[in-house]
């Protein structure tokens, strides 16, 4: 990617003079940093230098080839990075491009991306080049109907920068499901930045499903700022893309704020799936928990890097981390890096991380009940990931997610070419 | 129903079973007793098809088939059931899921229709009552966080659902208090049937107070050293195993 290609993409964006000026500044900052390099400790497992050599462009077309999947809620469909159905039935959800000049967006957009430490060049290029995304704004005391934000990419070598802003005011509640899909075998780069601001007592359930094509690159950054007694519950199902990097950073800024960041990654074929979590306990009586299950098969590679920091003064913080991983093939690899940094006494923290294989004794146990070996393995794998899906229990989304999970789990003689 | 002839089994180079002969007929209850390390559990595991055991000689016929040639799931579908001494915990898999998958695998192999969720629940409810288990057992992960007694009851529940022809209970009595022992024994007795045989592998006689065997065999040093009726178990309770122990075990024979 030469600077010219990025400049061409910038010319295809729009906005007010104020926004355009901000885009210019962000692009210059991106040029001064460049894409993350493997020399950066945070990126050593996931080099993006191949993007330097790629020739990508802002999408020319809007995708129309939609799957007929039913969504148990309001669906917002984005084709090649643009909202395709502008007549959504939600009073709380809008195209971010349409609302870019509103006082709310001017106030919040970039607030977290510009101030959270550890900000990456990927957020800067996103700030420069985003074309559209979601604005979800739920006023105080309102509850939004479940919202399905579905992204589909159908253009080869497209570079999609999606920007989402979620603002839940005091006591507001929402369920947001994000799904990323791509035409099978298609190469493209989907780079998204999601800023989430939760007011006092606000509650957000956030389900993220990465089903990008097996040739795609996905980079996603989710930033969450939480006020008093707010609750953020996220479940990621990372099963797509050739190279995927999912970053989640949560700031628990006030007492009583809690977050649950659960997830499953399934790296089959040659997939490379990297998830980085960072939770910052910045106030007393804050809580965080992470339950992750990872599977790598074939030549797949998974990375789980989770850092929980309990700042001085964040007494009575409660932090729990569990990461269990399965290697199904001798060529698969999983790297686990759990980190707890505690700078105060009087906290309750625990973590556990394992990497292992399917237990032959468990397989024999199931076979001795008449279940064939392949079905036994499938049952064990489904049971393994089930342990990270507790969040689904009262979400009403379990039935919708099940076929997606079933399609992603490794099975004998199953091709992973999505 | 089951005919074992001159069965020799090793783990690695180490001989464990050194010529077992045993005949079990439909409707019979056989107890296999013996001291620790005598090969009782190995026999149970070999009959169920566990990998890692090498049959070095002998054969096992089951309903006129070569049992040892069958995969574990084929044995189960043919009606062989092993209640494990240490039932495995399977996190994330609900008991009901295991039971239904297992029963439908067996039914499919017999060209019977598979049971849907509702029909299956009807079938399983009566079996739960038999073992004094409430419905909540169905929705808990298989054996996860179960007490020792609950795990053993759960094994018998699986047996009740699968309705095997040949049930092998490996130390099902170990770790049970007297109430749990009675519940388990009641469950097994309720499943006795003229077409069904039961092999009880046990170290102690006390289970046999509740499930009365037709034949008792004492396994020592990898061989059956004594067979008798139910009174043999009582004699063992009184005298211990010492008087039946062979002079030399296969381990010492194997040494150069």
């Amino acid at each position: 990617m030469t600077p010219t290609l990025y400049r061409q993409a910038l010319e295809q964006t729009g906005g007010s003079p104020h926004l355009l000026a901000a885009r210019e500044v962000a692009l210059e900052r991106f040029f001064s940093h460049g894409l993350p390099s493997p020399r950066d400790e945070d990126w050593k497992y996931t080099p993006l230098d191949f993007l330097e050599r790629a020739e990508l462009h802002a999408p020319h077309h809007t995708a129309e080839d939609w799957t007929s999947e039913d969504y148990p809620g309001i669906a917002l469909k984005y084709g090649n990075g643009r909202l395709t159905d502008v007549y959504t039935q939600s009073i709380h959800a809008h195209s971010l491009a349409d609302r870019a000049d509103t006082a709310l967006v001017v106030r919040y957009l970039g607030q977290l991306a510009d101030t959270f430490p550890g900000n990456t060049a990927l957020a800067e290029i996103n700030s420069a080049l985003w074309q559209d995304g979601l604005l979800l704004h739920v006023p105080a005391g309102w509850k939004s109907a479940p919202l399905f934000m579905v992204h589909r990419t159908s253009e080869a070598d497209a570079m999609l920068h999606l920007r989402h802003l979620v603002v839940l005011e005091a006591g507001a509640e929402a369920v947001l499901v994000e799904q990323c899909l791509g035409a099978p075998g298609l190469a493209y780069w989907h780079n998204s930045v999601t800023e989430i601001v939760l007011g006092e007592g606000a509650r957000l359930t956030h389900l993220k499903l990465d089903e990008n094509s097996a040739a795609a690159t996905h980079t996603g950054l989710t930033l969450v700022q939480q006020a008093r007694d707010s609750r953020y519950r996220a479940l990621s199902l990372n099963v797509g893309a050739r190279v995927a990097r999912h970053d989640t950073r949560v700031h628990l800024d006030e007492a009583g704020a809690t977050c649950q960041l659960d997830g499953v990654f399934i790296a089959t074929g040659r997939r490379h799936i990297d998830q980085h979590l960072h939770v910052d306990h910045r106030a007393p009586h804050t809580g965080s928990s992470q339950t992750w299950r990872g599977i790598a098969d074939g030549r797949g590679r998974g990375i789980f890097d989770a850092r929980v920091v309990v700042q001085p003064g964040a007494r009575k913080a409660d932090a729990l981390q569990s990461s269990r991983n399965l290697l199904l093939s001798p060529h698969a690899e999983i790297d686990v890096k759990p980190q707890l940094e505690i700078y105060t006494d009087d906290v309750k923290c625990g973590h556990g991380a394992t990497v292992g294989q399917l237990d032959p004794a468990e397989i024999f146990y199931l076979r001795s009940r008449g279940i064939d070996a392949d079905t036994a393995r499938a049952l064990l794998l489904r049971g393994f990931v089930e342990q990270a899906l507790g969040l689904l229990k009262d979400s009403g989304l379990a039935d919708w997610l099940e076929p997606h999970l079933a399609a992603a789990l490794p099975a004998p003689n199953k091709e992973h070419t999505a | 129903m089951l005919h074992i002839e001159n069965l020799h089994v090793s783990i690695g180079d180490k001989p464990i079973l050194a010529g077992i002969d045993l005949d079990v007929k439909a409707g019979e209850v056989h107890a296999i007793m013996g001291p620790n390390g005598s090969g009782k559990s190995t026999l149970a595991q070999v009959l169920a098809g566990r990998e890692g055991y090498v049959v070095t000689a002998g054969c096992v016929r089951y309903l006129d088939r070569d049992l040892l040639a069958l995969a574990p799931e084929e044995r189960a579908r043919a009606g062989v059931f092993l209640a494990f001494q240490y039932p495995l915990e399977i996190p994330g898999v609900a008991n009901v899921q295991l039971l239904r998958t297992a029963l439908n695998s067996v039914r499919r192999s017999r060209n019977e229709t598979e049971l849907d969720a509702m029909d299956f629940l009807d079938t399983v409810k009566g079996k739960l009552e038999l073992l004094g288990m409430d419905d909540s057992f169905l929705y808990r992960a298989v054996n996860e966080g179960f007490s020792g007694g609950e795990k053993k009851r759960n094994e018998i529940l699986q047996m009740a659902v699968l309705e095997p022809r040949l049930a092998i209970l490996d130390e099902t009595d170990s770790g049970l208090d007297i109430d749990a022992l009675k519940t388990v024994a009641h469950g097994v007795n309720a499943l006795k049937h003229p077409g069904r045989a039961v092999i009880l592998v046990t170290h102690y006689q006390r289970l046999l107070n509740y499930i009365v065997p037709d034949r008792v065999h004492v396994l020592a040093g990898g061989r059956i050293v004594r067979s008798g009726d139910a009174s043999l178990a009582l004699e063992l309770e009184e005298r211990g195993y010492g008087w039946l122990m062979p002079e030399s075990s296969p381990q010492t024979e194997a040494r150069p």
Side-chain angles (χ1 to χ4, degrees), chain B residues 163-228:
Chain B
E163 299 182 330
R165 304 282 298 272
L166 173 65
I168 304 157
L169 277 55
D170 188 5
E171 308 243 2
T172 297
D173 51 334
S174 68
L176 293 187
D177 63 31
I178 196 71
D179 290 331
L181 186 72
K182 281 181 181 170
T183 308
V184 164
H186 171 70
V188 175
N189 284 328
L191 295 168
K192 274 205 220 164
H193 183 276
R196 181 174 290 142
V198 179
I199 297 175
L200 302 168
V201 173
T202 180
H203 188 81
Y204 299 106
Q205 186 269 338
R206 71 175 186 159
L207 177 67
L208 308 183
N209 290 335
Y210 301 98
I211 309 171
V212 180
D214 299 298
R215 298 288 293 164
V216 174
H217 312 277
V218 178
L219 199 61
R223 286 196 191 92
I224 290 176
V225 293
R226 179 71 65 103
S227 295

Side-chain angles (χ1 to χ4, degrees), chain A residues 265-268 294-298 300-302 326-329 332-334 410:
Chain A
F265 67 83
I266 302 172
T268 52
I295 296 172
D297 196 7
R301 184 163 187 208
L326 280 182
L327 287 172
L328 301 182
S329 125
E333 180 176 334
I334 294 179

Side-chain angles (χ1 to χ4, degrees), chain A residues 324 359-362 364-373 375 379-380 382-384 386-387, chain B residues 49-51 71-73 76-77 81-82 84 89-93 97-98 102 105 143 155 158:
Chain A
R324 288 181 56 203
D359 183 353
E362 290 179 12
F364 172 64
Y365 187 55
L366 297 180
R367 292 179 76 189
S368 78
R369 270 48 181 154
I371 300 169
D372 65 81
T375 306
L379 259 180
L380 291 176
R382 183 62 188 79
F384 177 75
E386 178 68 25
Q387 301 164 61
Chain B
R50 174 103 195 222
E51 285 169 20
E73 60 269 31
R77 292 168 191 169
F81 180 89
L82 171 65
F84 279 50
E89 297 188 12
I90 317 269
V93 177
Q97 209 179 346
L98 166 62
S105 296
N143 293 325
E155 292 294 289
Q158 293 173 13

Side-chain angles (χ1 to χ4, degrees), chain A residues 320-351:
Chain A
L320 209 67
Q321 206 178 59
S322 154
S323 160
R324 288 181 56 203
N325 302 279
L326 280 182
L327 287 172
L328 301 182
S329 125
H331 304 294
E333 180 176 334
I334 294 179
D335 299 282
V336 184
K337 199 172 161 192
Q339 303 152 79
L340 276 174
E341 290 175 31
I342 302 167
Y343 300 104
T344 185
D345 298 331
D346 196 14
V347 295
K348 211 168 88 190
C349 297
H351 68 111

Side-chain angles (χ1 to χ4, degrees), chain A residues 114-318:
Chain A
D114 295 344
T115 59
F116 272 37
N119 186 12
T120 72
L122 294 174
E124 283 156 3
I125 191 65
N126 183 282
S127 292
L129 301 182
W130 68 269
Q131 290 200 334
D132 203 356
L134 169 75
L135 169 65
L136 172 61
H137 174 221
V138 187
W142 283 72
K143 189 174 174 181
S144 161
L147 209 62
F148 288 75
M149 172 165 63
V150 188
H151 296 277
R152 189 176 188 286
T153 306
S154 62
E155 194 172 323
D157 300 322
M159 170 171 70
L160 306 133
H161 296 282
L162 272 299
R163 188 61 171 254
H164 313 301
L165 176 63
V166 178
V167 179
L168 266 53
E169 292 182 12
E173 281 184 45
V175 174
L176 174 63
V177 180
E178 243 181 288
Q179 182 188 18
C180 290
L181 302 159
L186 199 73
Y188 54 89
W189 176 25
H190 181 136
N191 177 43
S192 70
V193 172
T194 308
E195 293 171 285
I196 298 174
V197 180
L198 300 184
E200 184 173 330
R203 292 174 169 212
L204 177 65
T205 299
H206 192 184
L207 188 65
K208 291 182 277 189
L209 179 52
D210 177 358
E211 294 178 312
N212 279 298
S213 101
T217 303
H218 182 105
T219 48
L221 174 65
T222 305
L223 304 168
V224 188
Q225 184 177 54
Q226 292 190 240
R228 179 177 297 272
D229 296 330
S230 62
R231 191 173 81 180
Y232 178 62
R233 300 197 309 163
L235 174 65
S236 300
L237 187 59
N238 297 335
V239 301
R242 169 70 178 79
V243 174
R245 164 75 180 229
H246 304 272
D247 271 272
T248 305
R249 285 178 168 263
V250 180
H251 282 188
L252 302 170
D253 279 342
E254 294 177 4
T258 58
C259 70
Q260 179 182 354
L261 310 178
D262 296 345
V264 170
F265 67 83
I266 302 172
T268 52
R270 290 180 166 271
R271 293 185 200 281
H272 176 111
I273 305 179
D274 180 353
Q275 27 276 308
H276 272 60
L277 311 177
H278 188 147
V279 178
D280 206 348
H281 289 255
R282 298 149 69 96
H285 299 280
T286 46
S288 69
S289 70
Q290 298 154 10
T291 306
W292 277 74
R293 296 293 179 264
I295 296 172
D297 196 7
R299 294 185 175 274
R301 184 163 187 208
I303 294 117
F304 178 77
D305 183 312
R307 185 159 164 226
V308 176
V309 180
V310 181
Q311 300 288 358
R315 65 195 159 73
K316 302 279 183 198
D318 198 333

